[in-house]
Amino acid sequence: MKITVDPQLCAGHNRCVSVAPHLFDIDDEGFASAAGDGVVDDADREDAALARDNCPEQAITLDG
């Protein structure tokens, strides 16, 4: 599975970081992006889905 954060939709609420901080990076302006290459280990699939579901802007997509 791979996480993608749409920078055009992300409003910097950072709910994704509050539920799955190990899966996201925050830039100097407070906007999220996927950590590293965005690939999620099987053990973190639930955390990734929870982050996606908590994004009020629906900026997070999960592929795979």
Side-chain angles (χ1 to χ4, degrees):
M1 173 186 292
K2 185 171 182 173
I3 295 175
T4 304
V5 180
D6 185 333
Q8 299 298 323
L9 295 177
C10 179
H13 295 289
N14 294 318
R15 291 184 185 176
C16 56
V17 175
S18 67
V19 298
H22 55 292
L23 298 178
F24 297 92
D25 291 327
I26 300 299
D27 68 14
D28 292 340
E29 295 178 2
F31 297 102
S33 62
D37 61 5
V39 175
V40 177
D41 292 333
D42 287 341
D44 292 324
R45 290 173 79 89
E46 284 187 40
D47 288 345
L50 185 61
R52 177 200 57 207
D53 295 345
N54 277 277
C55 180
E57 308 302 335
Q58 299 178 338
I60 300 169
T61 56
L62 304 175
D63 298 313

